[in-house]
Every structure is written in C-alpha cells, then in structure tokens.
Amino acid sequence: MPTLPSELEREIFEIAIRDNHNNAAWKLNFSLVARRVQYWIDLVYYEVVTIKTPVQAHKFLELVDWKPHDFFALAVKSLCIAYSISAVDASRILSVCSNVQQLACWVPWEKSPNLTQLLNSLCRLNQLSIETGHFLSILRSQSTPFPGLTHLELKWWLSSPRTSLDLGALPNLTHVSLSRAGRSEAESVCLTCASLQVLVIQKLAPEEEYAFDARIVMAPSDITYGEPVEVWEDVAFRRPENMWAYAENVVLSRKQKLDGRWYVLRLTYNAQS
C-alpha cells in the first residue's frame, strides 16, 4: 500500500484539526492514529489557548507537567488569560508560553510583581490586549518595551487612569483599539503613534466626535460589544468579522473615495488649463 510523504501527511492532519478546532471528538480520533500524529495534532490544537476560569488555569498547569518541557513554548501562538485568573497563575502560564505572538492579559497583577517583566520578555509578541493602567506602567518601567508590537488593544476598567497616551516608544505599532476611551485619548494616539494606520474606538458615541482623523473607525456593536473572549478569538482565529479586518476595510474604502475625488479634481483642473 503506497504511503504519503511525511510532510504531506502532516499537512493533511493539521488542516483537518484547524478546520474542526472545537471538535473534541475529532481531536481524540486523530490522536489515536499514531504517536507522531498526536504530536502534530497537539501542536496545532494548542496554537490558540483561552483560559477563562481558575479551574481552566489549574487544568492547563497540570497539563504542563505532562508535556515535554518546551512543548507549550513551541505550540502556543495566541493566548488569552481572562480577568478571573490570579496574577500568580498568569505568571506561571506566561512563563511556559514564552513564544506567544498574540496575547490578551486582563489580569489584576498587583500581587505578582514579576508579571510585568514576563510580559516584556515576550520577544515574539506582536499583538497585545491589556488594561490601560498596566500597560502604562510597563511603558514607564522599560526603556524599549515590546519592540515587535504592531497591534495594541487598551481596555479601560473603572479603576483605569484617564490620561493622555504617548505611544512614541512603539515605533512598529500600526493598529490600536481603545475601549471606552474619550476624544482626548484618541487624539494623543494619533499624535504620538508614528506608524498608525488604524485606530478602533470601542465606544457608543457620535461618529462626529472622532471625525478629526480618517484613520479612526467606530467599531459596530456586533463586532466588539460581545463577550470579550469571543471578540478576542475572532482576531486569534482570523475570522473575517474581526475588528481589525473591519477597520482596515473602512479605512481603505475612505482612502479609495478620497483618491477618486482627487483624480476627478485633477482631471477638471487639466481640462480648464
């Protein structure tokens, strides 16, 4: 019986598990095929990890003890640690997911001082969702914070500070989202973020309030006003309805309209000359 090349065999299983990521029965059946297949499947299955409750956090940490010591460093690309997780558990989770590229860390971390250092040590991090006060404390404490960060979502809690946002220390930042931010915060982002392409405002407010910059997009309620973890997973799984894709399309549409108007004006000017 002919056999498939190992690379092709692996790709088939990876595509199958990605297309059925939430189907536990599929994962179990695939894992029983062979030990090598189980390893391939696990690497894909744990690319995106969402931890919403303390019980889930403890189960994950128990799983860490059963896997090879570097497994989660290799596997986890996107990680969400929700508000109810303790800072101590969050620190332990981040310490094993050291190559994460996309992170939501909504943890009150005052009881774990090393969490700030752990966050800033994530050298491959390019997307971050975090509470505003925690993020500002990192900016103040680090000389070169998050050098590879391109996407940043800042969340305002009731305890979050109301202050201007100087993002000049993040030269590669192109996408910013502000939850419950006011006009002054939006203005400071537009002024200090040198590479800004898109600024998403997650707030019920008149669009005219933020019409001073064409890069600002008001997020519609059906995209960003759902359960926070689900909104984050839309981005993590690159679903077409995620907030970044929506905002990019809006900004592109505005640019195309502006370019079209400029083209018409130029034709009119040339005709009159």
Side-chain angles (χ1 to χ4, degrees), residues 13-32:
F13 280 108
E14 288 179 345
I15 292 173
I17 198 65
R18 283 195 178 99
D19 289 345
N20 299 274
H21 190 272
N22 293 325
N23 192 324
W26 275 59
K27 179 182 182 297
L28 177 60
N29 290 335
F30 287 155
S31 298
L32 295 175

Side-chain angles (χ1 to χ4, degrees), residues 110-135:
E110 288 76 9
K111 295 183 180 180
S112 182
N114 68 325
L115 192 52
T116 298
Q117 184 177 353
L118 274 171
L119 280 167
N120 205 53
S121 68
L122 300 174
C123 58
R124 296 192 178 184
L125 189 67
N126 55 54
Q127 298 196 35
L128 175 63
S129 177
I130 193 172
E131 187 270 332
T132 305
H134 294 157
F135 183 74

Side-chain angles (χ1 to χ4, degrees), residues 38-171:
Q38 180 182 4
Y39 183 73
W40 298 340
I41 293 302
D42 280 351
L43 281 177
V44 173
Y45 186 78
Y46 290 105
E47 281 182 346
V48 179
V49 174
T50 302
I51 301 176
K52 296 191 286 186
T53 67
V55 172
Q56 290 178 341
H58 294 157
K59 286 184 177 179
F60 180 83
L61 291 170
E62 288 175 359
L63 188 61
V64 168
D65 295 332
W66 286 91
K67 294 289 185 183
H69 75 280
D70 61 345
F71 173 80
F72 288 104
L74 293 172
V76 180
K77 303 296 188 297
S78 300
L79 173 64
C80 177
I81 308 176
Y83 182 85
S84 62
I85 310 304
S86 72
V88 173
D89 284 346
S91 295
R92 293 179 62 195
I93 293 166
L94 279 175
S95 68
V96 297
C97 301
S98 54
N99 287 315
V100 68
Q101 299 170 17
Q102 185 175 354
L103 173 66
C105 187
W106 305 325
V107 176
W109 56 22
E110 288 76 9
K111 295 183 180 180
S112 182
N114 68 325
L115 192 52
T116 298
Q117 184 177 353
L118 274 171
L119 280 167
N120 205 53
S121 68
L122 300 174
C123 58
R124 296 192 178 184
L125 189 67
N126 55 54
Q127 298 196 35
L128 175 63
S129 177
I130 193 172
E131 187 270 332
T132 305
H134 294 157
F135 183 74
L136 292 177
S137 70
I138 295 175
L139 288 187
R140 289 191 293 265
S141 63
Q142 304 291 332
S143 57
T144 55
F146 307 118
L149 197 66
T150 60
H151 292 60
L152 173 65
E153 180 186 24
L154 293 178
K155 291 186 171 294
W156 265 263
W157 297 343
L158 292 177
S159 59
S160 299
R162 286 293 173 182
T163 182
S164 61
L165 298 172
D166 186 348
L167 302 180
L170 303 167

Side-chain angles (χ1 to χ4, degrees), residues 199-220:
L199 172 56
V200 180
I201 302 296
Q202 300 182 41
K203 179 183 179 181
L204 295 175
E207 287 195 26
E208 295 77 13
E209 184 178 344
Y210 297 90
F212 58 88
D213 194 302
R215 297 169 295 181
I216 298 178
V217 176
M218 303 297 293

